[in-house]
Amino acid sequence: MRFALNICANLVGIPLEILIIAAMLRGSYRRYPALFVYMVAVFVVSLVETPLYVVGHLDLVRYSDRHVWRQYLKCYWIDERVLIALVFVVVLSLIYQATEKVRSRRVMRASVVGGAVLFSAIAFWAHYDPAVPPGQWMTAWTSNLYFCAAILDLGLWAMLIGSRAKDSRLLMFSGALGILFTGAAIGGSISNLAVAKRSSALTFAGGLVTMLSNLTFLYIWWQALRVREVVDRRS
């Protein structure tokens, strides 16, 4: 079931990633370079991981061969670290844009960046354990990082809502990120519980929550870019 879930996620997610990149190439990448780099990274990761996942899973089931599966897991956790770092860059770049007209923007930006780095370091120190497989402590760590990113995104959302000049595109970007972070945090927590309970049902549930939040995030970003493109054409 988990295999079918991941395949369905890629069949829907990869076309959405292509649509987002194509929409940004029409000009939005200049205003949102961090978002563009993040989406390109997500697309490349999807192209690299999907074949490894499929081949590794089939070899594991048919021949009990774990070689390709180990390569997939190694690649997955490297990619996860890169993507979580880029996610923070995206959130911070949106906060940077949202605080352009704020008087105390330097102090605010320094506080946000410093707090995010400090939280990440503390969470890493709390969960890192070389005696266990990386997947066990990395899942808990990334779940905490997504929670931290969700808090930052919530602050960004509140800032955008309270602003006199409403930026609908930034609101949609921020709202979609909030869905992504919340889903990732909840999905990661369910997956951690599944490991403790050794429950395949909970593992599937955690993957389902993560998948739905990720696809919703991609769809909203595409709509945000697409709607703005239609408006620009009409004007």
Side-chain angles (χ1 to χ4, degrees), residues 44 68 135 145 166 174 201:
V44 172
V68 179
L145 293 184
K166 297 292 189 299
S174 176

Side-chain angles (χ1 to χ4, degrees), residues 37-181:
V37 171
Y38 173 70
M39 283 312 310
V40 171
V42 170
F43 178 63
V44 172
V45 165
S46 298
L47 293 182
V48 172
E49 287 187 0
T50 301
L52 284 175
Y53 176 77
V54 173
V55 175
H57 179 82
L58 293 178
D59 285 352
L60 188 63
V61 172
R62 293 180 180 179
Y63 312 111
S64 298
D65 185 358
R66 295 181 175 272
H67 175 70
V68 179
W69 186 251
R70 291 194 189 98
Q71 294 298 317
Y72 163 72
L73 291 177
K74 182 179 179 180
C75 179
Y76 173 82
W77 288 117
I78 292 174
D79 294 341
E80 191 71 9
R81 295 172 189 175
V82 173
L83 291 180
I84 191 64
L86 289 177
V87 158
F88 271 97
V89 172
V90 168
V91 176
L92 294 175
S93 71
L94 294 179
I95 292 175
Y96 185 90
Q97 291 190 21
T99 56
E100 285 180 346
K101 298 181 180 180
V102 178
R103 293 182 179 178
S104 57
R105 56 183 177 274
R106 292 184 179 178
V107 175
M108 183 181 298
R109 291 168 180 173
S111 300
V112 169
V113 173
V117 172
L118 181 61
F119 181 90
S120 302
I122 293 175
F124 179 84
W125 177 79
H127 294 294
Y128 177 71
D129 187 353
V132 301
Q136 293 186 18
W137 65 267
M138 277 287 293
T139 299
W141 181 53
T142 54
S143 180
N144 287 163
L145 293 184
Y146 276 118
F147 176 77
C148 176
I151 297 299
L152 292 177
D153 187 66
L154 182 62
L156 171 62
W157 176 265
M159 190 185 308
L160 292 171
I161 290 294
S163 176
R164 294 181 179 178
K166 297 292 189 299
D167 190 326
S168 59
R169 181 180 276 189
L170 276 182
L171 282 169
M172 293 182 73
F173 285 152
S174 176
L177 284 169
I179 293 173
L180 175 68
F181 298 151

Side-chain angles (χ1 to χ4, degrees), residues 4-5 15 42 52 60 70 103 110 169 176 182 189 191 193 207 209 230:
L5 183 67
V42 170
L52 284 175
L60 188 63
R70 291 194 189 98
R103 293 182 179 178
R169 181 180 276 189
T182 303
S189 298
S191 297
L193 183 61
V209 171
V230 172

